[in-house]
Structures are given as C-alpha cells and as structure tokens.
Amino acid sequence: MTVLVFKTSVSKNKQVKRLKPLLTQLVEPIGRWNFDLEDCDNILRVETRQCPSSVVRLLEEQGYVCEEL
C-alpha cells in the first residue's frame, strides 16, 4: 500500500461528496482517501495500490486540477 499526496482544485465539501463514490471505487477494497480543504493546496491523500496517474486521471476527467506532490 502506498500513500499518495496530491494538490487539487477541489475546494468545497459539495465537490468532495460528488467525488466520493468514484474515489472509493478506485481504492477499494482496502484503500482510503481524504481531502484537507483547510490546506491552501486542497490536499488529497490516498492510500492505494493504484498508480498516481489513475488518481490524476480520475479527477481530471471530473474537471478538476490534480497534481502529485
């Protein structure tokens, strides 16, 4: 399991709720994810076996900026 950290353009809880089923499906069955919207970079942390590009692609397909840190 790897912890990945991303800078995103997700800035509202409403946006997180929209992404929840997609992110959960991506990291299942044992991965976890969370956003830190208090951080100036709107950090997304993901524990997963997926490669970073999978997470970036998922967010970009939904119209968000996502960059691995």
Side-chain angles (χ1 to χ4, degrees):
M1 188 80 61
T2 304
V3 177
L4 306 172
V5 181
F6 302 90
K7 174 181 178 177
T8 76
S9 64
V10 176
S11 61
K12 298 181 173 138
N13 284 323
K14 181 175 162 181
Q15 296 168 324
V16 174
K17 286 179 184 176
R18 266 191 250 131
L19 291 168
K20 181 178 181 177
L22 300 172
L23 284 167
T24 300
Q25 182 178 4
L26 181 71
V27 303
E28 282 185 339
I30 57 174
R32 296 186 299 177
W33 60 271
N34 66 52
F35 278 96
D36 181 357
L37 300 182
E38 300 291 319
D39 186 278
C40 65
D41 290 328
N42 299 314
I43 296 295
L44 168 61
R45 287 181 190 82
V46 181
E47 291 180 34
T48 185
R49 290 192 176 116
Q50 297 287 334
C51 64
S53 62
S54 298
V55 178
V56 171
R57 186 171 46 254
L58 178 98
L59 264 71
E60 288 180 346
E61 286 174 351
Q62 299 304 309
Y64 299 101
V65 174
C66 183
E67 172 186 328
E68 185 180 17
L69 296 177

Short mmCIF file of all heavy atoms in Angstrom, two decimals:
data_model
loop_
_atom_site.label_atom_id
_atom_site.label_comp_id
_atom_site.label_asym_id
_atom_site.label_seq_id
_atom_site.Cartn_x
_atom_site.Cartn_y
_atom_site.Cartn_z
N MET A 1 0.85 -1.18 0.00
CA MET A 1 0.00 0.00 0.00
C MET A 1 0.89 1.24 0.00
O MET A 1 1.87 1.31 0.72
CB MET A 1 -0.88 -0.02 1.25
CG MET A 1 -1.92 1.04 1.27
SD MET A 1 -3.40 0.69 0.32
CE MET A 1 -4.01 -0.76 1.09
N THR A 2 0.55 2.19 -0.82
CA THR A 2 1.31 3.42 -0.95
C THR A 2 0.43 4.60 -0.57
O THR A 2 -0.76 4.61 -0.86
CB THR A 2 1.75 3.61 -2.42
OG1 THR A 2 2.48 2.46 -2.83
CG2 THR A 2 2.61 4.83 -2.58
N VAL A 3 1.03 5.60 0.08
CA VAL A 3 0.33 6.85 0.37
C VAL A 3 0.73 7.86 -0.69
O VAL A 3 1.92 8.17 -0.85
CB VAL A 3 0.65 7.39 1.78
CG1 VAL A 3 -0.05 8.72 2.01
CG2 VAL A 3 0.26 6.39 2.84
N LEU A 4 -0.25 8.34 -1.43
CA LEU A 4 -0.04 9.33 -2.47
C LEU A 4 -0.61 10.66 -2.01
O LEU A 4 -1.66 10.69 -1.37
CB LEU A 4 -0.72 8.89 -3.76
CG LEU A 4 -0.36 7.50 -4.29
CD1 LEU A 4 -1.25 7.14 -5.46
CD2 LEU A 4 1.10 7.46 -4.69
N VAL A 5 0.04 11.76 -2.36
CA VAL A 5 -0.42 13.09 -1.95
C VAL A 5 -0.53 13.96 -3.20
O VAL A 5 0.40 14.01 -4.02
CB VAL A 5 0.55 13.73 -0.93
CG1 VAL A 5 0.06 15.10 -0.50
CG2 VAL A 5 0.73 12.82 0.28
N PHE A 6 -1.66 14.66 -3.31
CA PHE A 6 -1.93 15.47 -4.49
C PHE A 6 -2.39 16.87 -4.11
O PHE A 6 -3.11 17.05 -3.12
CB PHE A 6 -3.06 14.83 -5.33
CG PHE A 6 -2.76 13.44 -5.77
CD1 PHE A 6 -3.14 12.36 -4.99
CD2 PHE A 6 -2.12 13.19 -6.97
CE1 PHE A 6 -2.87 11.07 -5.38
CE2 PHE A 6 -1.85 11.90 -7.38
CZ PHE A 6 -2.22 10.84 -6.58
N LYS A 7 -2.01 17.83 -4.93
CA LYS A 7 -2.55 19.19 -4.86
C LYS A 7 -3.73 19.20 -5.83
O LYS A 7 -3.61 18.72 -6.97
CB LYS A 7 -1.47 20.17 -5.32
CG LYS A 7 -1.92 21.59 -5.46
CD LYS A 7 -0.75 22.44 -5.95
CE LYS A 7 -1.17 23.87 -6.15
NZ LYS A 7 -0.04 24.72 -6.55
N THR A 8 -4.90 19.73 -5.38
CA THR A 8 -6.09 19.69 -6.23
C THR A 8 -6.79 21.05 -6.28
O THR A 8 -6.49 21.95 -5.49
CB THR A 8 -7.11 18.65 -5.73
OG1 THR A 8 -7.78 19.16 -4.58
CG2 THR A 8 -6.45 17.32 -5.41
N SER A 9 -7.75 21.15 -7.18
CA SER A 9 -8.61 22.33 -7.24
C SER A 9 -9.95 22.08 -6.56
O SER A 9 -10.85 22.91 -6.64
CB SER A 9 -8.82 22.75 -8.71
OG SER A 9 -9.52 21.75 -9.42
N VAL A 10 -10.09 20.94 -5.88
CA VAL A 10 -11.32 20.64 -5.13
C VAL A 10 -11.31 21.52 -3.88
O VAL A 10 -10.38 21.46 -3.09
CB VAL A 10 -11.37 19.15 -4.74
CG1 VAL A 10 -12.58 18.86 -3.88
CG2 VAL A 10 -11.36 18.28 -5.98
N SER A 11 -12.33 22.36 -3.72
CA SER A 11 -12.30 23.32 -2.62
C SER A 11 -13.54 23.32 -1.74
O SER A 11 -13.59 24.03 -0.74
CB SER A 11 -12.08 24.73 -3.18
OG SER A 11 -13.14 25.07 -4.06
N LYS A 12 -14.54 22.53 -2.10
CA LYS A 12 -15.80 22.54 -1.35
C LYS A 12 -16.23 21.13 -0.98
O LYS A 12 -16.01 20.18 -1.74
CB LYS A 12 -16.90 23.21 -2.18
CG LYS A 12 -16.57 24.65 -2.50
CD LYS A 12 -17.66 25.28 -3.30
CE LYS A 12 -17.32 26.74 -3.41
NZ LYS A 12 -17.52 27.36 -4.65
N ASN A 13 -16.89 21.01 0.17
CA ASN A 13 -17.40 19.71 0.61
C ASN A 13 -18.38 19.12 -0.40
O ASN A 13 -18.44 17.91 -0.58
CB ASN A 13 -18.06 19.83 1.98
CG ASN A 13 -17.05 19.93 3.09
OD1 ASN A 13 -15.99 19.29 3.04
ND2 ASN A 13 -17.34 20.72 4.09
N LYS A 14 -19.13 19.98 -1.08
CA LYS A 14 -20.08 19.52 -2.09
C LYS A 14 -19.34 18.79 -3.22
O LYS A 14 -19.81 17.77 -3.72
CB LYS A 14 -20.81 20.75 -2.64
CG LYS A 14 -21.85 20.50 -3.67
CD LYS A 14 -22.53 21.83 -3.99
CE LYS A 14 -23.26 21.76 -5.30
NZ LYS A 14 -23.89 23.03 -5.64
N GLN A 15 -18.16 19.28 -3.58
CA GLN A 15 -17.36 18.63 -4.62
C GLN A 15 -16.82 17.29 -4.13
O GLN A 15 -16.80 16.30 -4.88
CB GLN A 15 -16.21 19.55 -5.04
CG GLN A 15 -16.68 20.84 -5.69
CD GLN A 15 -15.58 21.86 -5.83
OE1 GLN A 15 -14.70 21.98 -4.98
NE2 GLN A 15 -15.62 22.61 -6.92
N VAL A 16 -16.40 17.26 -2.86
CA VAL A 16 -15.90 16.01 -2.27
C VAL A 16 -16.99 14.96 -2.30
O VAL A 16 -16.75 13.79 -2.64
CB VAL A 16 -15.38 16.24 -0.83
CG1 VAL A 16 -15.02 14.92 -0.17
CG2 VAL A 16 -14.20 17.20 -0.82
N LYS A 17 -18.22 15.35 -1.96
CA LYS A 17 -19.34 14.40 -1.95
C LYS A 17 -19.59 13.83 -3.34
O LYS A 17 -19.91 12.65 -3.48
CB LYS A 17 -20.61 15.07 -1.41
CG LYS A 17 -20.56 15.28 0.07
CD LYS A 17 -21.81 15.96 0.59
CE LYS A 17 -21.67 16.23 2.07
NZ LYS A 17 -22.80 16.97 2.61
N ARG A 18 -19.42 14.66 -4.37
CA ARG A 18 -19.60 14.18 -5.74
C ARG A 18 -18.51 13.18 -6.13
O ARG A 18 -18.75 12.25 -6.89
CB ARG A 18 -19.59 15.34 -6.73
CG ARG A 18 -20.97 15.85 -7.03
CD ARG A 18 -20.97 16.81 -8.20
NE ARG A 18 -21.27 18.13 -7.66
CZ ARG A 18 -20.60 19.24 -7.89
NH1 ARG A 18 -19.56 19.24 -8.70
NH2 ARG A 18 -20.95 20.36 -7.36
N LEU A 19 -17.30 13.40 -5.62
CA LEU A 19 -16.17 12.52 -5.96
C LEU A 19 -16.13 11.25 -5.11
O LEU A 19 -15.46 10.29 -5.48
CB LEU A 19 -14.86 13.29 -5.77
CG LEU A 19 -14.60 14.41 -6.77
CD1 LEU A 19 -13.43 15.26 -6.31
CD2 LEU A 19 -14.35 13.84 -8.15
N LYS A 20 -16.82 11.26 -3.99
CA LYS A 20 -16.74 10.15 -3.03
C LYS A 20 -16.94 8.77 -3.65
O LYS A 20 -16.10 7.89 -3.46
CB LYS A 20 -17.74 10.37 -1.88
CG LYS A 20 -17.68 9.29 -0.84
CD LYS A 20 -18.64 9.56 0.30
CE LYS A 20 -18.53 8.46 1.33
NZ LYS A 20 -19.38 8.72 2.50
N PRO A 21 -18.02 8.54 -4.40
CA PRO A 21 -18.18 7.18 -4.95
C PRO A 21 -17.08 6.78 -5.92
O PRO A 21 -16.66 5.63 -5.96
CB PRO A 21 -19.55 7.21 -5.64
CG PRO A 21 -19.96 8.63 -5.70
CD PRO A 21 -19.14 9.40 -4.72
N LEU A 22 -16.58 7.74 -6.69
CA LEU A 22 -15.52 7.44 -7.66
C LEU A 22 -14.20 7.11 -6.97
O LEU A 22 -13.52 6.15 -7.34
CB LEU A 22 -15.34 8.62 -8.61
CG LEU A 22 -16.57 9.01 -9.43
CD1 LEU A 22 -16.33 10.32 -10.17
CD2 LEU A 22 -16.94 7.90 -10.38
N LEU A 23 -13.83 7.92 -5.98
CA LEU A 23 -12.58 7.67 -5.26
C LEU A 23 -12.66 6.38 -4.45
O LEU A 23 -11.70 5.61 -4.40
CB LEU A 23 -12.25 8.86 -4.34
CG LEU A 23 -11.72 10.09 -5.07
CD1 LEU A 23 -11.74 11.30 -4.15
CD2 LEU A 23 -10.31 9.83 -5.59
N THR A 24 -13.79 6.15 -3.83
CA THR A 24 -13.97 4.93 -3.03
C THR A 24 -13.84 3.70 -3.92
O THR A 24 -13.16 2.74 -3.56
CB THR A 24 -15.32 4.95 -2.30
OG1 THR A 24 -15.35 6.10 -1.44
CG2 THR A 24 -15.53 3.70 -1.48
N GLN A 25 -14.46 3.75 -5.09
CA GLN A 25 -14.36 2.63 -6.03
C GLN A 25 -12.92 2.42 -6.49
O GLN A 25 -12.46 1.29 -6.63
CB GLN A 25 -15.27 2.87 -7.22
CG GLN A 25 -15.27 1.73 -8.21
CD GLN A 25 -16.22 1.98 -9.37
OE1 GLN A 25 -16.82 3.04 -9.48
NE2 GLN A 25 -16.35 1.00 -10.23
N LEU A 26 -12.18 3.50 -6.69
CA LEU A 26 -10.80 3.41 -7.15
C LEU A 26 -9.90 2.71 -6.13
O LEU A 26 -9.04 1.93 -6.50
CB LEU A 26 -10.26 4.81 -7.46
CG LEU A 26 -8.83 4.87 -7.98
CD1 LEU A 26 -8.77 4.33 -9.41
CD2 LEU A 26 -8.29 6.29 -7.93
N VAL A 27 -10.09 2.99 -4.85
CA VAL A 27 -9.17 2.48 -3.83
C VAL A 27 -9.65 1.20 -3.15
O VAL A 27 -8.91 0.61 -2.38
CB VAL A 27 -8.86 3.54 -2.74
CG1 VAL A 27 -8.28 4.79 -3.38
CG2 VAL A 27 -10.07 3.88 -1.90
N GLU A 28 -10.90 0.78 -3.40
CA GLU A 28 -11.39 -0.44 -2.76
C GLU A 28 -10.55 -1.64 -3.15
O GLU A 28 -9.97 -1.66 -4.23
CB GLU A 28 -12.86 -0.69 -3.17
CG GLU A 28 -13.81 0.18 -2.42
CD GLU A 28 -15.26 -0.16 -2.74
OE1 GLU A 28 -15.54 -0.77 -3.79
OE2 GLU A 28 -16.11 0.17 -1.94
N PRO A 29 -10.48 -2.66 -2.34
CA PRO A 29 -11.26 -2.85 -1.12
C PRO A 29 -10.57 -2.36 0.16
O PRO A 29 -11.22 -2.21 1.18
CB PRO A 29 -11.44 -4.36 -1.07
CG PRO A 29 -10.18 -4.89 -1.68
CD PRO A 29 -9.79 -3.88 -2.74
N ILE A 30 -9.27 -2.08 0.11
CA ILE A 30 -8.60 -1.77 1.39
C ILE A 30 -8.01 -0.37 1.46
O ILE A 30 -7.44 0.00 2.47
CB ILE A 30 -7.50 -2.81 1.70
CG1 ILE A 30 -6.49 -2.87 0.56
CG2 ILE A 30 -8.10 -4.16 2.00
CD1 ILE A 30 -5.29 -3.75 0.83
N GLY A 31 -8.11 0.38 0.40
CA GLY A 31 -7.53 1.72 0.40
C GLY A 31 -8.40 2.74 1.11
O GLY A 31 -9.55 2.47 1.45
N ARG A 32 -7.82 3.91 1.35
CA ARG A 32 -8.55 5.01 1.98
C ARG A 32 -8.15 6.31 1.30
O ARG A 32 -7.09 6.38 0.68
CB ARG A 32 -8.23 5.12 3.47
CG ARG A 32 -8.67 3.91 4.27
CD ARG A 32 -8.47 4.12 5.74
NE ARG A 32 -7.05 4.33 6.03
CZ ARG A 32 -6.57 4.59 7.23
NH1 ARG A 32 -7.37 4.69 8.25
NH2 ARG A 32 -5.28 4.77 7.42
N TRP A 33 -8.97 7.34 1.45
CA TRP A 33 -8.65 8.64 0.89
C TRP A 33 -9.28 9.73 1.76
O TRP A 33 -10.25 9.48 2.46
CB TRP A 33 -9.14 8.75 -0.55
CG TRP A 33 -10.63 8.57 -0.70
CD1 TRP A 33 -11.30 7.40 -0.89
CD2 TRP A 33 -11.62 9.60 -0.61
NE1 TRP A 33 -12.65 7.63 -0.94
CE2 TRP A 33 -12.87 8.98 -0.77
CE3 TRP A 33 -11.58 10.96 -0.41
CZ2 TRP A 33 -14.06 9.69 -0.75
CZ3 TRP A 33 -12.77 11.68 -0.38
CH2 TRP A 33 -13.99 11.03 -0.55
N ASN A 34 -8.71 10.93 1.70
CA ASN A 34 -9.33 12.08 2.36
C ASN A 34 -8.77 13.37 1.77
O ASN A 34 -7.67 13.41 1.23
CB ASN A 34 -9.14 12.04 3.88
CG ASN A 34 -7.72 12.18 4.31
OD1 ASN A 34 -7.02 13.10 3.92
ND2 ASN A 34 -7.24 11.25 5.12
N PHE A 35 -9.58 14.41 1.87
CA PHE A 35 -9.19 15.75 1.43
C PHE A 35 -8.91 16.59 2.65
O PHE A 35 -9.58 16.46 3.68
CB PHE A 35 -10.33 16.42 0.65
CG PHE A 35 -10.40 16.01 -0.79
CD1 PHE A 35 -11.26 15.00 -1.19
CD2 PHE A 35 -9.65 16.66 -1.75
CE1 PHE A 35 -11.35 14.62 -2.51
CE2 PHE A 35 -9.72 16.29 -3.08
CZ PHE A 35 -10.57 15.27 -3.46
N ASP A 36 -7.94 17.49 2.54
CA ASP A 36 -7.69 18.52 3.55
C ASP A 36 -7.99 19.86 2.87
O ASP A 36 -7.13 20.47 2.26
CB ASP A 36 -6.25 18.48 4.04
CG ASP A 36 -5.95 19.52 5.11
OD1 ASP A 36 -6.86 20.33 5.42
OD2 ASP A 36 -4.82 19.54 5.62
N LEU A 37 -9.26 20.29 2.99
CA LEU A 37 -9.68 21.52 2.35
C LEU A 37 -9.23 22.76 3.12
O LEU A 37 -9.37 23.88 2.63
CB LEU A 37 -11.21 21.52 2.17
CG LEU A 37 -11.77 20.38 1.32
CD1 LEU A 37 -13.28 20.52 1.18
CD2 LEU A 37 -11.11 20.29 -0.04
N GLU A 38 -8.70 22.56 4.31
CA GLU A 38 -8.15 23.68 5.09
C GLU A 38 -6.77 24.08 4.56
O GLU A 38 -6.33 25.20 4.76
CB GLU A 38 -8.04 23.30 6.57
CG GLU A 38 -9.36 22.93 7.23
CD GLU A 38 -10.29 24.12 7.37
OE1 GLU A 38 -9.80 25.21 7.70
OE2 GLU A 38 -11.49 23.94 7.10
N ASP A 39 -6.10 23.16 3.90
CA ASP A 39 -4.78 23.42 3.34
C ASP A 39 -4.92 24.28 2.09
O ASP A 39 -5.88 24.11 1.31
CB ASP A 39 -4.10 22.09 2.98
CG ASP A 39 -2.68 22.26 2.52
OD1 ASP A 39 -2.46 22.58 1.34
OD2 ASP A 39 -1.79 22.09 3.36
N CYS A 40 -3.99 25.19 1.86
CA CYS A 40 -4.07 26.08 0.69
C CYS A 40 -4.01 25.33 -0.63
O CYS A 40 -4.47 25.84 -1.66
CB CYS A 40 -2.99 27.15 0.76
SG CYS A 40 -1.31 26.51 0.63
N ASP A 41 -3.47 24.12 -0.62
CA ASP A 41 -3.38 23.30 -1.84
C ASP A 41 -4.50 22.28 -1.96
O ASP A 41 -4.48 21.45 -2.87
CB ASP A 41 -2.03 22.59 -1.90
CG ASP A 41 -0.88 23.55 -2.16
OD1 ASP A 41 -1.10 24.57 -2.86
OD2 ASP A 41 0.23 23.29 -1.67
N ASN A 42 -5.50 22.33 -1.06
CA ASN A 42 -6.63 21.39 -1.10
C ASN A 42 -6.13 19.96 -1.31
O ASN A 42 -6.43 19.29 -2.29
CB ASN A 42 -7.63 21.77 -2.18
CG ASN A 42 -8.21 23.13 -1.94
OD1 ASN A 42 -8.61 23.46 -0.83
ND2 ASN A 42 -8.25 23.96 -2.97
N ILE A 43 -5.35 19.52 -0.35
CA ILE A 43 -4.62 18.25 -0.44
C ILE A 43 -5.56 17.04 -0.45
O ILE A 43 -6.50 16.96 0.34
CB ILE A 43 -3.64 18.13 0.75
CG1 ILE A 43 -2.57 19.21 0.67
CG2 ILE A 43 -3.01 16.74 0.82
CD1 ILE A 43 -1.65 19.12 -0.52
N LEU A 44 -5.26 16.11 -1.33
CA LEU A 44 -5.91 14.80 -1.37
C LEU A 44 -4.84 13.78 -1.02
O LEU A 44 -3.80 13.71 -1.68
CB LEU A 44 -6.48 14.51 -2.76
CG LEU A 44 -6.93 13.07 -3.04
CD1 LEU A 44 -8.06 12.65 -2.09
CD2 LEU A 44 -7.34 12.91 -4.49
N ARG A 45 -5.10 12.98 0.03
CA ARG A 45 -4.22 11.87 0.40
C ARG A 45 -4.94 10.57 0.08
O ARG A 45 -6.10 10.41 0.44
CB ARG A 45 -3.90 11.92 1.89
CG ARG A 45 -2.94 13.01 2.27
CD ARG A 45 -2.64 13.00 3.77
NE ARG A 45 -1.92 14.18 4.16
CZ ARG A 45 -2.48 15.38 4.41
NH1 ARG A 45 -3.78 15.52 4.32
NH2 ARG A 45 -1.74 16.41 4.73
N VAL A 46 -4.24 9.68 -0.56
CA VAL A 46 -4.83 8.42 -0.98
C VAL A 46 -3.92 7.28 -0.58
O VAL A 46 -2.73 7.30 -0.90
CB VAL A 46 -5.04 8.39 -2.52
CG1 VAL A 46 -5.69 7.09 -2.94
CG2 VAL A 46 -5.85 9.58 -3.00
N GLU A 47 -4.46 6.30 0.13
CA GLU A 47 -3.74 5.05 0.42
C GLU A 47 -4.28 4.02 -0.55
O GLU A 47 -5.46 3.67 -0.52
CB GLU A 47 -4.01 4.59 1.85
CG GLU A 47 -3.41 5.47 2.91
CD GLU A 47 -3.72 4.96 4.31
OE1 GLU A 47 -3.79 3.73 4.51
OE2 GLU A 47 -3.91 5.80 5.19
N THR A 48 -3.41 3.54 -1.44
CA THR A 48 -3.89 2.66 -2.50
C THR A 48 -2.75 1.85 -3.10
O THR A 48 -1.58 2.14 -2.86
CB THR A 48 -4.57 3.49 -3.62
OG1 THR A 48 -5.13 2.62 -4.59
CG2 THR A 48 -3.61 4.45 -4.27
N ARG A 49 -3.12 0.89 -3.91
CA ARG A 49 -2.15 0.16 -4.72
C ARG A 49 -2.15 0.70 -6.15
O ARG A 49 -1.39 0.24 -6.98
CB ARG A 49 -2.50 -1.33 -4.72
CG ARG A 49 -2.26 -1.97 -3.37
CD ARG A 49 -2.32 -3.48 -3.47
NE ARG A 49 -1.98 -4.07 -2.20
CZ ARG A 49 -2.81 -4.79 -1.47
NH1 ARG A 49 -4.03 -5.03 -1.90
NH2 ARG A 49 -2.43 -5.29 -0.31
N GLN A 50 -3.04 1.64 -6.43
CA GLN A 50 -3.12 2.25 -7.76
C GLN A 50 -1.91 3.15 -8.01
O GLN A 50 -1.29 3.65 -7.07
CB GLN A 50 -4.39 3.10 -7.88
CG GLN A 50 -5.68 2.34 -7.75
CD GLN A 50 -5.97 1.50 -8.97
OE1 GLN A 50 -5.52 1.78 -10.08
NE2 GLN A 50 -6.72 0.43 -8.78
N CYS A 51 -1.62 3.39 -9.26
CA CYS A 51 -0.54 4.32 -9.60
C CYS A 51 -1.08 5.76 -9.53
O CYS A 51 -2.29 5.98 -9.67
CB CYS A 51 0.04 4.01 -10.96
SG CYS A 51 -1.10 4.21 -12.31
N PRO A 52 -0.20 6.73 -9.28
CA PRO A 52 -0.64 8.12 -9.17
C PRO A 52 -1.43 8.61 -10.37
O PRO A 52 -2.38 9.38 -10.23
CB PRO A 52 0.67 8.90 -9.01
CG PRO A 52 1.65 7.91 -8.49
CD PRO A 52 1.24 6.59 -9.06
N SER A 53 -1.06 8.17 -11.56
CA SER A 53 -1.75 8.64 -12.77
C SER A 53 -3.23 8.26 -12.79
O SER A 53 -4.05 8.96 -13.37
CB SER A 53 -1.05 8.15 -14.03
OG SER A 53 -1.07 6.74 -14.09
N SER A 54 -3.59 7.16 -12.12
CA SER A 54 -5.00 6.76 -12.04
C SER A 54 -5.82 7.79 -11.27
O SER A 54 -6.95 8.11 -11.65
CB SER A 54 -5.15 5.40 -11.36
OG SER A 54 -4.50 4.41 -12.09
N VAL A 55 -5.24 8.29 -10.18
CA VAL A 55 -5.93 9.29 -9.36
C VAL A 55 -6.02 10.61 -10.12
O VAL A 55 -7.08 11.24 -10.17
CB VAL A 55 -5.22 9.48 -8.01
CG1 VAL A 55 -5.90 10.56 -7.18
CG2 VAL A 55 -5.16 8.16 -7.24
N VAL A 56 -4.91 11.03 -10.73
CA VAL A 56 -4.89 12.28 -11.51
C VAL A 56 -5.93 12.21 -12.62
O VAL A 56 -6.73 13.14 -12.80
CB VAL A 56 -3.49 12.54 -12.08
CG1 VAL A 56 -3.51 13.71 -13.07
CG2 VAL A 56 -2.49 12.80 -10.95
N ARG A 57 -5.96 11.12 -13.36
CA ARG A 57 -6.90 10.95 -14.47
C ARG A 57 -8.35 11.03 -13.98
O ARG A 57 -9.18 11.69 -14.58
CB ARG A 57 -6.64 9.63 -15.19
CG ARG A 57 -7.47 9.44 -16.44
CD ARG A 57 -7.07 8.23 -17.28
NE ARG A 57 -6.84 7.00 -16.51
CZ ARG A 57 -5.63 6.48 -16.26
NH1 ARG A 57 -4.54 7.06 -16.70
NH2 ARG A 57 -5.51 5.36 -15.57
N LEU A 58 -8.63 10.37 -12.87
CA LEU A 58 -10.00 10.37 -12.32
C LEU A 58 -10.46 11.80 -12.03
O LEU A 58 -11.55 12.19 -12.44
CB LEU A 58 -10.06 9.53 -11.05
CG LEU A 58 -11.44 9.52 -10.40
CD1 LEU A 58 -12.19 8.27 -10.80
CD2 LEU A 58 -11.33 9.61 -8.91
N LEU A 59 -9.63 12.58 -11.34
CA LEU A 59 -10.03 13.95 -11.01
C LEU A 59 -10.10 14.83 -12.25
O LEU A 59 -11.02 15.63 -12.38
CB LEU A 59 -9.09 14.55 -9.96
CG LEU A 59 -9.64 14.42 -8.53
CD1 LEU A 59 -9.59 13.00 -8.04
CD2 LEU A 59 -8.94 15.36 -7.59
N GLU A 60 -9.14 14.68 -13.15
CA GLU A 60 -9.16 15.50 -14.36
C GLU A 60 -10.37 15.19 -15.23
O GLU A 60 -10.95 16.10 -15.84
CB GLU A 60 -7.86 15.32 -15.15
CG GLU A 60 -6.69 16.00 -14.46
CD GLU A 60 -5.37 15.84 -15.20
OE1 GLU A 60 -5.28 14.98 -16.12
OE2 GLU A 60 -4.42 16.58 -14.85
N GLU A 61 -10.79 13.93 -15.27
CA GLU A 61 -12.00 13.57 -16.03
C GLU A 61 -13.24 14.23 -15.45
O GLU A 61 -14.23 14.42 -16.15
CB GLU A 61 -12.17 12.05 -16.06
CG GLU A 61 -11.20 11.35 -16.99
CD GLU A 61 -11.27 9.84 -16.91
OE1 GLU A 61 -11.96 9.30 -16.01
OE2 GLU A 61 -10.60 9.18 -17.73
N GLN A 62 -13.19 14.56 -14.16
CA GLN A 62 -14.32 15.22 -13.50
C GLN A 62 -14.19 16.75 -13.54
O GLN A 62 -14.99 17.46 -12.95
CB GLN A 62 -14.44 14.74 -12.05
CG GLN A 62 -14.69 13.25 -11.91
CD GLN A 62 -15.94 12.82 -12.67
OE1 GLN A 62 -17.00 13.41 -12.52
NE2 GLN A 62 -15.81 11.79 -13.49
N GLY A 63 -13.14 17.25 -14.19
CA GLY A 63 -12.99 18.68 -14.38
C GLY A 63 -12.13 19.39 -13.35
O GLY A 63 -12.14 20.62 -13.28
N TYR A 64 -11.39 18.64 -12.55
CA TYR A 64 -10.55 19.23 -11.51
C TYR A 64 -9.07 19.16 -11.88
O TYR A 64 -8.66 18.27 -12.63
CB TYR A 64 -10.75 18.51 -10.17
CG TYR A 64 -12.17 18.61 -9.67
CD1 TYR A 64 -13.04 17.55 -9.82
CD2 TYR A 64 -12.64 19.76 -9.08
CE1 TYR A 64 -14.35 17.62 -9.38
CE2 TYR A 64 -13.95 19.86 -8.64
CZ TYR A 64 -14.79 18.79 -8.80
OH TYR A 64 -16.10 18.89 -8.38
N VAL A 65 -8.30 20.08 -11.34
CA VAL A 65 -6.86 20.03 -11.47
C VAL A 65 -6.33 19.11 -10.36
O VAL A 65 -6.80 19.17 -9.23
CB VAL A 65 -6.24 21.45 -11.30
CG1 VAL A 65 -4.73 21.39 -11.29
CG2 VAL A 65 -6.75 22.37 -12.38
N CYS A 66 -5.40 18.24 -10.71
CA CYS A 66 -4.83 17.31 -9.74
C CYS A 66 -3.37 17.07 -10.11
O CYS A 66 -3.08 16.67 -11.25
CB CYS A 66 -5.61 16.00 -9.76
SG CYS A 66 -5.04 14.80 -8.53
N GLU A 67 -2.49 17.33 -9.16
CA GLU A 67 -1.06 17.22 -9.42
C GLU A 67 -0.39 16.50 -8.24
O GLU A 67 -0.58 16.89 -7.09
CB GLU A 67 -0.50 18.65 -9.54
CG GLU A 67 0.98 18.77 -9.61
CD GLU A 67 1.40 20.25 -9.59
OE1 GLU A 67 0.66 21.10 -10.10
OE2 GLU A 67 2.48 20.51 -9.03
N GLU A 68 0.36 15.45 -8.54
CA GLU A 68 1.03 14.71 -7.47
C GLU A 68 2.13 15.57 -6.86
O GLU A 68 2.85 16.27 -7.55
CB GLU A 68 1.63 13.41 -8.00
CG GLU A 68 2.23 12.57 -6.88
CD GLU A 68 2.84 11.27 -7.36
OE1 GLU A 68 3.09 11.11 -8.56
OE2 GLU A 68 3.07 10.41 -6.50
N LEU A 69 2.22 15.53 -5.53
CA LEU A 69 3.29 16.26 -4.81
C LEU A 69 4.38 15.28 -4.40
O LEU A 69 4.21 14.11 -4.33
CB LEU A 69 2.73 16.95 -3.58
CG LEU A 69 1.70 18.04 -3.87
CD1 LEU A 69 1.17 18.60 -2.56
CD2 LEU A 69 2.32 19.15 -4.70
#
